[in-house]
Amino acid sequence: MALQQAQLLLNMSSLEPVNFGVHQNNTEAFAVALCHLAELHAEQGLFGAASELLKHLKERFPPHTQHAKLWMLCDLKIQFERAMNDGKYHLSDSLVTGIAALNKTEGLYRKALVLKAQNQTTEAYKILQRLLLYCEKSKCTEMVIRVMLSIAELYWQSSCYATALPLLLQALALARQFHLQYLASETILHLAFSQLMLGIPEQALNILHMAIEPILAHGAVMDKGRAMLLVAKCQIAISAPESPKRKHQALEVAVQSLDEAREYFGKVDCKERLRDVYYLQARLYNSLGKTAERNKCSMLFRQLNQELPSHGVPLITRL
């Protein structure tokens, strides 16, 4: 739907004269639509296509022109996400300054994300609380929900899973009130993770089915991977009290869910999440007695663990 709306905007007949006898669409709407398309392609791991769109934007709207800030912000946001996926938090942090210069709210939000990823929870919490108050006053509902989800994730890092629930329910009510379906699905993912960590994986898996369809159908590749990783974690937790035969079957299904998550994370080259998947798969293959597969996943996990920084958020406390 987002792609269709962006394409409709691109086909608007709002042409401006740029030379004698030459007209082209140089409107703000055209720039917004192209930026949106670039972000959508980047979310699906199609970085080459996103780069081509940004190249066209740079030619159409040079740095000194009125709407150049739109593609500048878009470019920085895509670079930021790629650096975060790659575990290069120092690079992400350096991009925050440029983002903040173009959009203070987005800059503050991303600064908090970097601090959260580096496990600097106190500093991240202070920024997010300040940002939440500002966004509530300015009625920026989408950012309010995003900030609430990030604060809930900080509670997880402190093992305060029950504390996160009221905040997540508030975020879900806001998303539904303003018909923000995708943010509602993301919030349900967070609620499911909280329930999993509170020891009720059956309930977590039940509500997860409410959110997973729109995410797998329309979501960013990272969100698809996170959803399937959460499904696998729930399947593993549910299998614990089962008989050996049923547990074996459940773990085989969980391995398949992890395979799917790995494919999604691989599309955006998210090494941190791939490390998580390989770790879990190695554990599952060990339980299933599949030595060769276990050794392969262990080796891949070890390679990524040596490459990536060690100050990241532990696997157990994040979605």
Side-chain angles (χ1 to χ4, degrees):
M1 185 63 75
L3 275 170
Q4 289 175 352
Q5 289 175 344
Q7 287 163 358
L8 279 172
L9 273 172
L10 290 177
N11 287 310
M12 286 173 62
S13 55
S14 310
L15 301 180
E16 296 179 349
V18 293
N19 210 335
F20 181 73
V22 179
H23 291 72
Q24 67 181 23
N25 193 334
N26 283 340
T27 61
E28 184 180 12
F30 185 81
V32 168
L34 276 181
C35 287
H36 188 49
L37 280 174
E39 287 188 38
L40 288 172
H41 280 83
E43 284 176 359
Q44 300 305 318
L46 303 170
F47 297 114
S51 181
E52 285 298 315
L53 286 162
L54 285 167
K55 182 182 175 184
H56 179 73
L57 276 159
K58 290 171 187 178
E59 291 169 358
R60 184 69 71 90
F61 304 95
H64 62 275
T65 56
Q66 183 183 2
H67 305 309
K69 286 183 179 180
L70 294 168
W71 64 255
M72 288 178 182
L73 180 60
C74 174
D75 190 14
L76 287 170
K77 283 162 71 175
I78 290 171
Q79 288 182 55
F80 177 89
E81 294 300 332
R82 293 192 74 177
M84 289 292 285
N85 290 346
D86 215 16
K88 296 177 179 175
Y89 304 134
H90 63 287
L91 178 56
S92 303
D93 201 24
S94 68
L95 292 166
V96 166
T97 306
I99 293 171
L102 296 165
N103 187 312
K104 187 180 177 182
T105 304
E106 289 285 350
L108 267 177
Y109 175 65
R110 279 167 173 75
K111 179 65 178 178
L113 292 185
V114 174
L115 291 169
K116 181 165 68 70
Q118 293 174 328
N119 224 10
Q120 297 182 43
T121 53
T122 304
E123 294 84 350
Y125 184 77
K126 287 177 183 175
I127 291 174
L128 288 171
Q129 283 292 345
R130 197 164 85 240
L131 190 55
L132 183 61
L133 289 171
Y134 172 77
C135 291
E136 283 175 339
K137 285 179 184 176
S138 57
K139 300 191 184 301
C140 184
T141 308
E142 188 175 341
M143 183 58 82
V144 165
I145 296 168
R146 279 202 251 159
V147 170
M148 284 178 169
L149 297 183
S150 294
I151 292 173
E153 290 169 5
L154 287 178
Y155 287 143
W156 297 343
Q157 286 176 229
S158 304
S159 300
C160 300
Y161 304 105
T163 310
L165 288 176
L167 188 66
L168 290 172
L169 290 170
Q170 188 183 347
L172 182 60
L174 269 177
R176 286 177 170 167
Q177 180 186 346
F178 289 91
H179 308 289
L180 300 169
Q181 184 193 13
Y182 192 75
L183 278 174
S185 297
E186 272 205 72
T187 307
I188 291 169
L189 275 190
H190 283 68
L191 281 165
F193 181 80
S194 294
Q195 290 184 319
L196 170 65
M197 298 311 294
L198 287 168
I200 40 177
E202 296 89 353
Q203 181 65 23
L205 199 56
N206 284 339
I207 69 161
L208 189 51
H209 290 308
M210 296 165 56
I212 203 163
E213 189 176 326
I215 287 174
L216 294 181
H218 310 295
V221 169
M222 269 295 291
D223 291 336
K224 293 176 184 179
R226 289 163 70 211
M228 292 311 302
L229 182 56
L230 180 55
V231 167
K233 288 177 181 178
C234 290
Q235 289 166 338
I236 294 165
I238 290 169
S239 73
E242 297 287 352
S243 64
K245 184 179 178 181
R246 293 191 68 177
K247 183 175 181 178
H248 189 279
Q249 292 170 341
L251 293 183
E252 290 280 9
V253 173
V255 167
Q256 293 172 11
S257 298
L258 288 171
D259 279 336
E260 214 172 320
R262 191 186 70 229
E263 284 181 28
Y264 289 131
F265 293 139
K267 286 181 181 178
V268 287
D269 195 28
C270 185
K271 293 177 182 176
E272 258 203 344
R273 298 294 183 159
L274 285 169
R275 175 175 63 178
D276 294 348
V277 171
Y278 288 133
Y279 172 79
L280 282 175
Q281 283 194 312
R283 296 286 301 268
L284 292 185
Y285 281 132
N286 187 61
S287 299
L288 293 167
K290 296 186 175 182
T291 309
E293 291 89 343
R294 179 202 66 193
N295 291 345
K296 182 182 177 183
C297 289
S298 297
M299 180 192 70
L300 292 167
F301 165 77
R302 186 169 181 271
Q303 287 173 351
L304 289 174
N305 201 45
Q306 289 174 334
E307 181 183 343
L308 294 170
S310 58
H311 54 240
V313 181
L315 164 64
I316 195 68
T317 60
R318 72 172 175 191
L319 175 58

